[in-house]
Each structure stands twice: as structure tokens, then as C-alpha cells.
């Protein structure tokens, strides 16, 4: 188990480095193609995109990974029945998004150019869902190579399409270009699915009977996935409400809509993506940790569970501390290198120290899910999100511009990380 954890983590870190580099190149190409105005508009629809991505998979990848790692049921009976059920569910989500898109674009986001990109989000959902379910299967088996390769190929496809297609679409209009950015996900996710399927053992026989669901298995999956989804959904809904609250309050007290769009784009297009660069290390640790903790905890091996949790936190800090120091001291270097801009320096210097806590938050959340504490994680996220929304609404009236968003996000990071740390340590001591 120890060797598998180390091997899995190394594979995911190497793959994460490659994926992150490709992601940076994509970000550079995208930023220079659609300009800061386009980044601002794209940032407005990202909360909605993240919300529906959370809904489209219902937390099943985590649940599938956990059940497979515990070896309680036949693997085919865990994975295959979920696919037709989730396709039907995603068609339902698409219809909902099609219906609410006019309201979101015209009245809540107050940016008409977001309508077609919002519609495009709905078309990507089934592909994202199926891809994530298959990845959950491989995570449960602790086979990280298929997932890593699929992620790399997915990013390569996204990069090629971003470089070749988006500049052409930009000549037509900014709306068409941003819609194209969203629709690229269909092709990249489909490529990811094909790559993953190539790693399914050739001797695997799949029949129609394998797609019939077992009530007990579905119940166990939902017991794990729904609290996990609840946690992510709360975060996504909060993120979804961010631009709506900011736009409403700031325009009410005199800020121009163009200013709000550009500043929101700087924070979500430059500042947070830069500060989240080290997160691919912690994501690799989290993905490797889930099957290991699930297995050891289910077999009452609490000493080993505690050891792996401490190891994950230490590894996250070893990575996070030097990155944080670098971001604080020379943020302009990375902004210029990656995004060809110097906007957002002050935001970065204030926010970077607190992102160190965010780097350990991911592994802690994974540990809670593995130890059947998903409901506890969800309650902590819910309390923090309520506080965040209330504070965002109040602070936005203080005429401090988008600093209100920076402040409430810092408070959110501190609260959730300390909450998860307290309950994780309490569980194993």
C-alpha cells in the first residue's frame, strides 16, 4: 500500500506538472486571443460552469473510487449502472440551463454576451460526467497512468483548438469566441474518454445485464456522493452568487459595469489561477490518498491512517511554502511570464499567504471523505459559505471595489481549513 501511494503520487505529480504547463500555455494563448474584456466575460460565466460541473457528476467519481478501493462489490456493478442514469440526469440539467440562460445573462449577470456561452455549457455536461466517472474507476484501482495520460492528451487537444480556432472566432465576435472556448471542452473530454477506454482490460466482457443497477450499491454510492456533492455544490453556488452580488451592489453604489467586469476578470483570470498553480501537487496527493485512506480506515488500521494524513499535510506544506514566498516577493515576474500583464500584483501579495492554508485543504477534504465524514465537511463548507455571502454583500457597500471579494475569500479559506483540520485530527486521536 505504501509503495502504491508513493508510485501513484509520483505519476500524478509528473502528469500534473505536464498538464499544468499545458494549462499555462492555454491560458496565455486564451488571454492574448480574447483580450482582458473577453477574460472578464469568461470569468462571469465560470461560476455557472463550475456549478453545473458539480451537479453533472453528483460526486459519483469520489464514491466510485472509494467503493472500488474497499473491494466490497463487483467493479462492473459499481461503474456501469451509473452511466445511463447519469446521462438521463445530464439531459435534464441541459434543459434547465437552456431555460435559465436568458435570465442569467440579461438580469443577473447583466451581460448579454454571456447568453450563448451559457447555452454551450449545457452541451459539455454529459461528456464531462462520463469522463469523470471512468477516472473515478481508475482512481479506485490506484491505476493513475490512464488518468494522467488522458489528462495530458485532453490538454493537448484543448491547446491545439485554442491556438487554431479561437483567433478565427474572435474575428467574428467576442461572443462567438467565448462560446467556442466552452465548446472546446466537448472535443477534449471526448478524447479523454477514448483514451481511458483504451486502458480497460481487453478480456473485460460487458453485457446488458451489467448495466442493471443494484439497489444496495446505488444506495452506498449516493450515501457517499450526495454529501460530497453537497460540499462542492455549496461552494459552487457561493461562487455562482459572487458576480451577481458584486454586480448588484457595486453598480448600486456607483461603480461602472465595465470596471466590475475587468477587475473581476483580473482576480479570476490572473490572480487566482496563478496562486492555484501549486494545487496540482496537492491534487495529486489527494487523488492518491483517497483509496489508501479508505482502505486502511475501513480495516480499522487507524495508526497507518494517521501516518498518511500527516504525510499528506507535510508534503503539501513542503510544496506550498516556497511557492507562497515566491508569489509574495516577485508576483510581477509570473504575471508577465504567464499572462503578459502586470495587473493584480497587490491582490496577489495580500492573498498569497492565506493560500498556503488552501494547499492543505484539499488533502484534508479527501481524508474526511475517505473516513465517512463527508457530511461534516459539508456542514463546515455550508457555514463558511453563508458567512462569505453575508460578508460579501455587506463589505461591497464599503466602496472598496473588488477588495471585498478578496477579503471574504481569505476568511473562507481560513475557516474551512481550520474546520477540516480540527475534525480530521479529532477522528483519528
Amino acid at each position: 500500500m505504501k509503495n502504491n501511494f508513493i508510485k501513484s503520487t509520483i505519476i500524478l505529480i509528473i502528469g500534473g506538472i505536464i498538464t499544468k504547463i499545458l494549462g499555462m500555455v492555454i491560458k496565455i494563448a486564451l488571454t492574448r486571443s480574447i483580450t482582458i474584456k473577453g477574460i472578464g466575460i469568461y470569468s462571469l460565466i465560470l461560476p455557472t460552469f463550475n456549478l453545473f460541473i458539480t451537479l453533472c457528476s453528483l460526486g459519483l467519481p469520489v464514491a466510485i473510487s472509494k467503493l472500488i478501493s474497499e473491494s466490497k462489490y463487483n467493479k462492473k456493478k459499481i461503474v456501469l449502472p451509473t452511466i445511463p442514469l447519469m446521462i438521463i440526469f445530464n439531459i435534464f440539467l441541459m434543459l434547465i440551463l437552456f431555460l435559465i440562460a436568458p435570465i442569467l445573462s440579461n438580469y443577473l449577470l447583466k451581460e448579454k454576451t454571456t447568453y450563448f456561452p451559457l447555452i454551450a455549457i449545457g452541451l459539455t455536461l454529459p461528456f464531462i460526467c462520463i469522463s469523470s466517472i471512468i477516472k473515478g474507476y481508475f482512481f479506485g484501482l490506484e491505476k493513475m497512468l490512464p488518468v494522467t495520460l488522458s489528462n495530458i492528451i485532453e490538454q493537448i487537444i484543448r491547446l491545439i483548438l485554442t491556438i487554431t480556432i479561437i483567433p478565427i472566432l474572435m474575428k467574428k465576435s467576442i461572443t462567438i469566441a467565448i462560446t467556442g472556448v466552452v465548446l472546446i471542452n466537448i472535443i477534449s473530454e471526448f478524447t479523454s474518454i477514448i483514451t481511458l477506454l483504451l486502458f480497460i482490460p481487453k478480456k473485460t466482457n460487458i453485457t446488458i445485464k451489467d448495466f442493471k443497477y443494484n439497489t444496495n450499491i446505488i444506495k452506498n454510492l449516493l450515501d457517499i456522493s450526495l454529501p460530497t456533492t453537497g460540499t462542492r455544490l455549496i461552494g459552487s453556488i457561493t461562487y455562482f452568487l459572487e458576480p451577481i452580488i458584486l454586480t448588484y451592489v457595486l453598480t448600486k453604489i456607483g461603480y461602472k459595469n465595465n470596471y466590475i467586469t475587468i477587475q473581476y476578470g483580473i482576480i479570476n483570470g490572473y490572480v487566482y489561477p496563478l496562486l492555484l498553480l501549486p494545487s496540482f501537487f496537492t491534487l495529486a496527493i489527494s487523488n492518491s490518498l483517497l483509496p489508501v485512506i479508505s482502505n486502511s480506515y475501513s480495516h480499522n488500521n487507524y495508526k497507518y491512517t494517521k501516518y498518511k494524513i500527516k504525510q499528506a499535510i507535510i508534503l503539501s506544506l513542503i510544496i506550498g511554502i516556497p511557492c507562497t514566498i515566491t508569489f509574495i516577493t516577485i508576483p510581477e515576474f509570473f504575471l508577465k511570464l504567464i499572462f503578459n500583464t502586470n495587473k493584480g500584483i497587490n491582490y496577489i501579495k495580500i492573498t498569497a499567504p492565506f493560500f498556503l492554508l488552501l494547499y492543505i485543504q484539499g488533502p484534508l477534504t479527501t481524508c474526511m471523505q475517505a473516513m465517512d465524514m463527508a457530511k461534516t465537511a459539508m456542514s463546515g463548507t455550508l457555514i463558511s459559505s453563508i458567512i462569505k455571502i453575508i460578508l460579501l454583500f455587506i463589505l461591497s457597500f464599503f466602496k472598496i471595489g473588488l477588495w471585498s471579494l478578496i477579503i471574504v475569500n481569505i476568511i473562507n479559506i481560513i475557516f474551512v481549513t481550520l474546520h477540516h483540520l480540527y475534525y480530521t485530527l479529532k477522528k483519528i486521536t
Side-chain angles (χ1 to χ4, degrees), residues 248-320:
Y248 172 77
V249 176
L250 294 182
T251 53
K252 194 175 183 65
I253 63 175
Y255 285 92
K256 299 295 183 182
N257 195 62
N258 188 58
Y259 168 83
I260 299 167
T261 300
I262 291 175
Q263 289 299 310
Y264 193 74
I266 290 170
I267 293 172
N268 287 281
Y270 302 148
V271 177
Y272 289 159
L274 178 61
L275 294 176
L276 286 170
L277 279 178
S279 65
F280 73 87
F281 283 103
T282 56
L283 180 61
I285 294 168
S286 299
N287 288 332
S288 302
L289 200 62
L290 180 61
V292 174
I293 296 293
S294 295
N295 188 287
S296 63
Y297 186 78
S298 65
H299 290 89
N300 301 320
N301 191 351
Y302 301 130
K303 184 178 180 180
Y304 186 76
T305 301
K306 186 175 182 179
Y307 167 71
K308 298 314 292 184
I309 292 172
K310 287 183 177 179
Q311 186 182 52
I313 292 173
I314 291 169
L315 284 173
S316 299
L317 290 175
I318 288 172
I319 295 159

Side-chain angles (χ1 to χ4, degrees), residues 159 201 269 354 357 414:
L159 174 60
F354 301 98
L357 290 175
I414 295 171

